[in-house]
């Protein structure tokens, strides 16, 4: 995968070569983005802020999945299962064992990473679609366990997760969404920056080498086993974080949030956003999670003229997500990230073609 | 012992239906190397098309089947032309996700057209039950086994002896070599999708007759994975055996601990993938790492 770079840059120091952003345009856009993110909680009402919070958590999970699928080429249909592992670990540790919440979340990340390595073992022998089917098997098995294992939920079908809090401080009901916004934003920003930097290290590059050609990668000395299991661990760590945040954010954990449809939705996010792109994972999460609420807002707006929309809303939301995934695969397989680059390059050299 | 026998016959009947559901899946994989996650939705469309003809339009059963086949062929050919052909030669994740997207769209379309309440249909298969060696066996299960057997034998013969069946195998084996022999790869792949959708009509009608016409039919699209992986993705006899084995294993599992049938097939799936990924009868040519 070739990442187009801005031209005309020559570095005169190691520091400038290491910088993620080089041109004035890139820095200006970063500044605008930070401003917009800072202003968001003051502009949105709590409903739309809750949508944004859901997007933030999903973005962390999507980055994790993209590390595995987009950067390492290992297809996983087990995302929902890993989210469940993270959510249940954190909720059990903090709710039942009384572990402080930040520690519980960190433990959830580690436990999910270990779970990911176990679920990733078939990847050592299987490729492509066969691996996808194997992870589908893992998903179904995890889903069955969390549905049927009565000890997990104490027999009530769901598990309560205590609200977020550190050393006596707790999230207040009045500022619930806004506080969570800053927590999620912080976690997502750190996660995105870390993921971006991983792919400038030897480990991250070995992931990409495995994706592009396994045999070639092993002949130049990449330890394929280590790269694959490492990708599963790293990816599942992100997914576990997303799962743990979901647990404490929503307050209850039940199996319905971690079904196969969730796995598919996350795969949709990284396809719509762009496989092999950290920024794309965030765009994709935003796109697919904004689609249903926007559709329902549209249906509300035209309720009198087109009642059909409102009546069939749930089915239409499902169909819209499926259709968007299909259209992107057929017309823009590199996703929103590529679309954005094309727009940027077009205007960057306007009025010339290149 | 009686319970064992009863479980066995139910397992065989479910297995026959499973094999039928999985058949279309194998057809598409054999001819185009595409794994079709929308197979369950094909069953759904087939069953609802038949239901529309038989109940809503009051057609005779045979005409209703014909209507179902026409709908299925149109659907299969359209999907192949509009969705799969632009993706020829693309990476596995693209193919996988496009069929998953397709399944969401098909399911939603059926839901918009028919709603979510299950529909009941007048019985086609004879009711009643017979007693064999002390176990009570509903007749419709036996008929289902017979119908599935006939359809499956027909498809096996098709692949073995007919020109199109052989051409399909050639395309699956090596599309370029098939092209040089004058086989139209695109036409063969359209044929495969049409046939898969048609076989789903048979499967959908049988399942709908035993249970009811509802959205739950789509769930069968998932349970075909253990079946086809066990039998070997590209083997029709393997699919039949896989269907019976998974049907039996699920029934026995339920007999030991009710509800276990929801997970045991997937445990079998993962174990088979780890031990013998090409299944019992598949060609051992999948790329190992």
């Amino acid at each position: 995968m070739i990442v187009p770079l801005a031209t005309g840059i020559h570095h005169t120091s190691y520091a400038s070569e290491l910088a993620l952003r080089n041109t004035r345009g890139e820095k200006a856009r970063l500044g605008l983005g930070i401003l917009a993110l800072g202003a968001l909680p003051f502009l949105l009402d709590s409903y739309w802020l809750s949508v944004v919070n859901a997007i933030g958590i999903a973005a962390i999970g999507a980055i994790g999945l993209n590390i595995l699928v987009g950067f390492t080429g290992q297809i996983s249909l087990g995302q929902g299962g890993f989210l469940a592992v993270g959510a249940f670990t954190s909720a059990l540790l903090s709710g039942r064992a009384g572990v402080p919440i930040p520690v519980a979340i960190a433990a959830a990340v580690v436990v999910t990473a270990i779970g990911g390595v176990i679920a990733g073992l078939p990847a050592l022998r299987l490729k492509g679609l066969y691996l996808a089917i194997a992870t589908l098997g893992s998903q179904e098995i995890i889903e069955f366990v969390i549905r049927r294992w009565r000890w997990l939920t104490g027999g009530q079908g769901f598990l309560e997760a205590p609200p977020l809090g550190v050393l006596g401080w707790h999230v207040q009901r009045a500022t619930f969404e806004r506080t969570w916004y800053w927590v999620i934003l912080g976690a997502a920003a750190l996660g995105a920056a870390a993921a971006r930097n991983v792919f400038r290290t030897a480990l991250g590059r070995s992931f990409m080498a495995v994706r592009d050609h396994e045999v070639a990668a092993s002949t130049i000395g990449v330890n394929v086993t280590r790269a694959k299991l490492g990708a599963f661990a790293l990816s599942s760590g992100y997914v576990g974080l997303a799962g743990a945040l979901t647990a404490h954010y929503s307050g209850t954990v039940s199996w319905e949030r971690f079904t196969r449809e969730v796995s598919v939705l996350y795969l949709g996010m990284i396809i719509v956003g762009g496989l092999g792109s950290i920024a794309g994972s965030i765009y994709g999460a935003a796109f697919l999670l904004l689609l249903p609420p926007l559709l329902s807002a549209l249906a509300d707006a035209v309720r009198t003229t087109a009642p059909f929309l409102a009546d069939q809303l749930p089915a239409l939301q499902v169909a819209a997500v499926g259709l968007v995934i299909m259209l992107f695969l057929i017309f823009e397989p590199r996703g929103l990230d590529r679309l954005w680059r094309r727009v940027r390059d077009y205007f960057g050299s306007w009025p010339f073609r290149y | 012992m009686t319970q064992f026998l009863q479980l066995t016959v139910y397992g065989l009947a479910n297995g026959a239906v499973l094999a039928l559901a999985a058949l279309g899946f194998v057809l598409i994989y054999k001819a185009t190397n595409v794994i079709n996650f929308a197979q369950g939705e094909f069953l759904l469309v087939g069953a609802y098309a038949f239901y529309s003809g038989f109940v809503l339009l009051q057609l005779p059963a045979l005409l209703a089947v014909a209507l179902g086949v026409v709908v299925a062929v149109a659907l299969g050919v359209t999907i192949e032309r509009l969705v799969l052909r632009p993706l020829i030669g693309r990476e596995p994740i693209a193919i996988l996700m496009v069929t998953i997207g397709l399944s969401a769209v098909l399911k939603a379309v059926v839901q918009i057209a028919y709603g979510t309440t299950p529909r009941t249909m007048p019985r086609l298969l004879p009711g009643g039950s017979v007693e064999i060696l002390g176990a009570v066996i509903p007749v419709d299960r036996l008929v289902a086994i017979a119908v599935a057997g006939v359809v499956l034998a027909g498809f096996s013969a098709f692949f073995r002896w007919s020109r199109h069946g052989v051409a399909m195998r050639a395309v699956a084996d090596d599309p370029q070599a098939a092209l040089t022999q004058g086989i139209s790869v695109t036409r063969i792949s359209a044929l495969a999708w049409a046939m898969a959708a048609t076989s789903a009509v048979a499967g959908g009608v049988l399942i709908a007759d035993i249970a009811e016409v509802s959205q739950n039919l789509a769930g069968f699209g998932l349970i075909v994975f253990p079946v086809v992986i066990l039998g070997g993705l590209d083997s029709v006899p393997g699919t039949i055996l896989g269907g019976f084995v998974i049907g039996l294993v699920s029934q026995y599992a339920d007999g030991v601990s009710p509800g276990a049938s929801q997970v045991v097939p997937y445990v079998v799936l993962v174990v088979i993938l780890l031990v013998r990924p090409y299944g019992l009868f598949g060609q051992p040519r999948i790329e190992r790492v």
Side-chain angles (χ1 to χ4, degrees), chain A residues 235-249:
Chain A
S235 153
S236 307
Y238 274 87
V239 179
L241 175 62
L245 288 176
T246 316
H248 296 291
Y249 174 61

Side-chain angles (χ1 to χ4, degrees), chain A residues 69 75 122 124-127 129-130 133-134 140 144 214 228 260 264 267-268 271 312 315 319 323 326 329 333, chain B residues 35 83 87 90 93-94 97-98 100-102 105 108 112 222 233 259 263 266 269 273-274 277 286-289:
Chain A
V69 181
I75 307 175
L124 300 180
R125 297 193 64 181
L126 301 168
K127 283 180 86 163
L129 292 170
Y130 280 85
I133 297 177
E140 293 295 323
F144 181 82
E214 253 173 55
K228 281 187 176 175
R260 190 177 63 253
V264 169
L267 275 176
I271 281 169
Q312 299 291 352
L323 199 63
M326 285 165 74
L329 280 168
Chain B
I35 286 192
V83 181
L87 296 182
R90 289 269 295 280
I93 174 113
M97 282 308 288
V98 93
I100 290 180
L102 184 67
V105 172
I112 289 170
L222 204 65
L233 265 177
V263 74
Y266 298 100
L269 169 82
L273 277 173
L274 283 176
I286 77 154
E287 205 177 344
R288 285 246 200 126
V289 186

Side-chain angles (χ1 to χ4, degrees), chain B residues 78-152:
Chain B
T78 315
I79 288 173
E80 194 280 331
R81 184 69 195 87
L82 294 183
V83 181
L84 271 303
R85 207 175 291 178
L87 296 182
I88 286 176
R90 289 269 295 280
E91 63 274 32
I93 174 113
I95 313 267
L96 171 98
M97 282 308 288
V98 93
T99 61
I100 290 180
L102 184 67
S103 74
V105 172
L106 285 180
K107 202 171 178 177
V109 167
V110 169
Q111 191 181 330
I112 289 170
Y114 296 93
T116 46
T117 35
R119 310 288 182 105
T120 46
M121 205 163 56
R123 309 276 307 183
L124 282 176
L125 304 181
S129 52
V130 290
E131 215 178 289
I132 304 171
L133 297 173
V136 182
I137 315 297
V139 176
D140 57 357
R141 303 279 170 150
L142 296 177
V143 177
I145 296 180
V147 171
V150 170
V151 175
L152 290 168

Side-chain angles (χ1 to χ4, degrees), chain A residues 51 54-55 57-59 61-63 65-66 69 76-81 83 136 139 239 246 256-275 280-293 295 314 316-326 328-329, chain B residues 37 93 96-97 100-101 103-104:
Chain A
V51 173
I55 291 172
I57 294 178
I63 290 171
L65 188 62
N66 217 338
V69 181
S76 167
L77 278 165
Q79 177 87 357
L83 283 169
L136 179 71
Q139 161 79 36
V239 179
T246 316
E256 288 101 338
R257 289 169 180 275
F258 309 110
T259 57
R260 190 177 63 253
E261 281 79 14
V262 175
S263 304
V264 169
L265 183 68
Y266 272 88
L267 275 176
M269 286 175 197
I270 62 174
I271 281 169
V272 168
L275 289 172
S281 320
I282 301 168
Y283 305 154
F287 193 101
L288 283 194
L289 289 190
L290 279 175
L291 199 58
L295 264 180
L316 284 173
Q317 287 170 333
V318 173
V321 170
L323 199 63
V324 162
I325 293 173
M326 285 165 74
F328 265 95
L329 280 168
Chain B
F37 270 79
I93 174 113
L96 171 98
M97 282 308 288
I100 290 180
S103 74

Side-chain angles (χ1 to χ4, degrees), chain A:
Chain A
M1 202 169 294
I2 301 151
V3 181
L5 290 170
T7 52
I9 301 168
H10 74 105
H11 300 290
T12 50
S13 70
Y14 286 120
S16 87
E17 203 194 351
L18 279 175
L20 280 168
R21 275 151 224 283
N22 294 303
T23 64
R24 238 175 302 160
E26 281 171 342
K27 284 174 187 159
R29 280 194 298 270
L30 180 66
L32 280 178
I34 291 173
L35 268 182
L37 287 174
L40 215 50
F42 305 102
L43 300 176
L44 296 178
D45 61 20
S46 69
Y47 169 68
W48 284 103
L49 204 53
S50 75
V51 173
V52 171
N53 283 341
I55 291 172
I57 294 178
I60 298 173
I63 290 171
L65 188 62
N66 217 338
I67 290 174
L68 189 61
V69 181
F71 285 98
T72 322
Q74 312 296 311
I75 307 175
S76 167
L77 278 165
Q79 177 87 357
F82 295 141
L83 283 169
V85 172
F88 275 96
T89 307
S90 189
L92 279 177
L93 281 179
S94 58
R96 216 169 281 178
V99 175
I101 288 183
V103 180
I105 293 179
V109 171
V110 174
V111 169
T112 315
I114 295 169
V117 171
I118 295 169
L121 287 176
L124 300 180
R125 297 193 64 181
L126 301 168
K127 283 180 86 163
L129 292 170
Y130 280 85
L131 178 62
I133 297 177
T135 54
L136 179 71
S138 310
Q139 161 79 36
E140 293 295 323
I141 292 169
I142 295 179
E143 201 179 312
F144 181 82
V145 169
I146 60 175
R147 271 173 80 165
R148 290 304 186 92
W149 193 12
R150 299 182 66 82
W151 176 81
L152 268 186
T153 59
Q156 52 180 347
F158 64 91
L159 186 64
E160 275 174 38
L164 189 69
V166 191
L167 302 174
W169 169 86
H170 281 282
V171 174
Q172 297 304 312
R173 192 169 262 264
T175 55
F176 180 81
E177 296 292 349
R178 203 175 283 180
T179 316
W180 265 103
Y181 174 80
W182 296 116
V183 173
I184 293 170
L185 181 67
L190 272 179
R196 184 78 196 272
N197 279 308
V198 162
F199 291 99
R200 312 202 298 168
T201 66
L203 181 71
R205 291 189 195 239
S206 76
F207 292 177
M208 289 190 273
V210 167
R211 171 194 66 195
D212 292 341
H213 203 298
E214 253 173 55
V215 178
S218 67
T219 58
I220 57 168
V222 170
N223 184 340
V224 175
T225 305
R226 191 176 148 229
K228 281 187 176 175
L229 292 185
F232 266 97
L234 186 62
S235 153
S236 307
Y238 274 87
V239 179
L241 175 62
L245 288 176
T246 316
H248 296 291
Y249 174 61
S250 58
T252 55
V253 188
S254 66
W255 65 273
E256 288 101 338
R257 289 169 180 275
F258 309 110
T259 57
R260 190 177 63 253
E261 281 79 14
V262 175
S263 304
V264 169
L265 183 68
Y266 272 88
L267 275 176
M269 286 175 197
I270 62 174
I271 281 169
V272 168
L275 289 172
S277 155
I278 300 297
S281 320
I282 301 168
Y283 305 154
F287 193 101
L288 283 194
L289 289 190
L290 279 175
L291 199 58
L294 286 179
L295 264 180
S296 94
L298 175 73
D300 269 348
V302 297
R303 190 177 283 278
T304 46
T305 47
F308 165 79
L309 262 183
D311 293 344
Q312 299 291 352
L313 192 62
L316 284 173
Q317 287 170 333
V318 173
V321 170
L323 199 63
V324 162
I325 293 173
M326 285 165 74
L327 291 177
F328 265 95
L329 280 168
I330 294 171
F331 296 109
E332 184 58 273
R334 293 283 191 68
L336 286 169
D337 183 55
R338 184 57 173 270
L339 210 61
W340 153 241
R341 281 174 197 279
R342 288 227 305 263
V343 171
R344 188 191 61 186
D345 292 347
Y346 178 82
F347 285 104
S349 53
W350 192 84
F352 305 108
R353 288 296 298 281
Y354 52 86

Side-chain angles (χ1 to χ4, degrees), chain B residues 6-285:
Chain B
Q6 185 127 9
L7 289 177
T8 305
V9 175
Y10 271 89
L12 287 178
N14 287 356
V17 175
L18 279 180
L20 203 55
L23 181 70
F25 185 91
V26 172
L27 264 169
I28 290 176
Y29 184 78
K30 259 177 106 79
T32 64
N33 274 331
V34 168
I35 286 192
N36 180 21
F37 270 79
Q39 190 62 33
E41 280 68 20
F42 277 21
L43 290 174
L44 194 64
V45 172
Y48 271 99
F50 176 79
Y51 168 82
S52 308
F54 190 54
V55 177
L56 299 181
L57 300 177
Q58 305 277 324
L59 295 175
L62 272 181
L63 269 182
V65 170
L67 176 76
V69 170
V70 169
V71 171
V73 168
L75 180 75
V77 171
T78 315
I79 288 173
E80 194 280 331
R81 184 69 195 87
L82 294 183
V83 181
L84 271 303
R85 207 175 291 178
L87 296 182
I88 286 176
R90 289 269 295 280
E91 63 274 32
I93 174 113
I95 313 267
L96 171 98
M97 282 308 288
V98 93
T99 61
I100 290 180
L102 184 67
S103 74
V105 172
L106 285 180
K107 202 171 178 177
V109 167
V110 169
Q111 191 181 330
I112 289 170
Y114 296 93
T116 46
T117 35
R119 310 288 182 105
T120 46
M121 205 163 56
R123 309 276 307 183
L124 282 176
L125 304 181
S129 52
V130 290
E131 215 178 289
I132 304 171
L133 297 173
V136 182
I137 315 297
V139 176
D140 57 357
R141 303 279 170 150
L142 296 177
V143 177
I145 296 180
V147 171
V150 170
V151 175
L152 290 168
F155 273 104
S156 303
F158 169 80
F159 274 116
R160 186 108 176 79
W161 288 298
S162 91
R163 284 182 68 84
H164 283 97
V166 174
M168 247 181 218
R169 276 159 56 203
V171 170
D173 204 42
D174 189 336
Q176 281 189 353
L179 273 173
T180 62
Q181 298 297 313
I183 295 169
S184 165
V185 171
T186 47
R187 196 175 301 166
I188 286 295
S189 112
L191 179 69
W193 279 87
M195 282 174 62
T198 309
S199 81
V201 174
V205 170
L206 272 187
I207 300 172
D209 197 67
I210 289 175
E212 59 192 357
V213 186
S214 80
Q215 294 265 325
N216 296 336
L217 278 176
F220 274 86
L222 204 65
I223 195 82
V224 303
F225 284 103
V227 173
V228 294
I229 291 291
L230 179 64
L233 265 177
D234 52 0
S235 159
V236 175
T239 308
I240 301 172
L241 187 73
F244 284 134
V245 171
I246 295 292
L248 285 174
V249 166
S250 315
Q251 284 295 324
Y252 293 148
D254 261 350
V256 174
S257 153
S261 66
Q262 287 172 7
V263 74
V264 170
Y266 298 100
V267 176
V268 174
L269 169 82
V270 173
V271 170
I272 289 284
L273 277 173
L274 283 176
V275 178
R276 196 180 159 94
Y278 42 87
L280 296 176
F281 293 103
Q283 291 177 12
R285 61 167 180 195

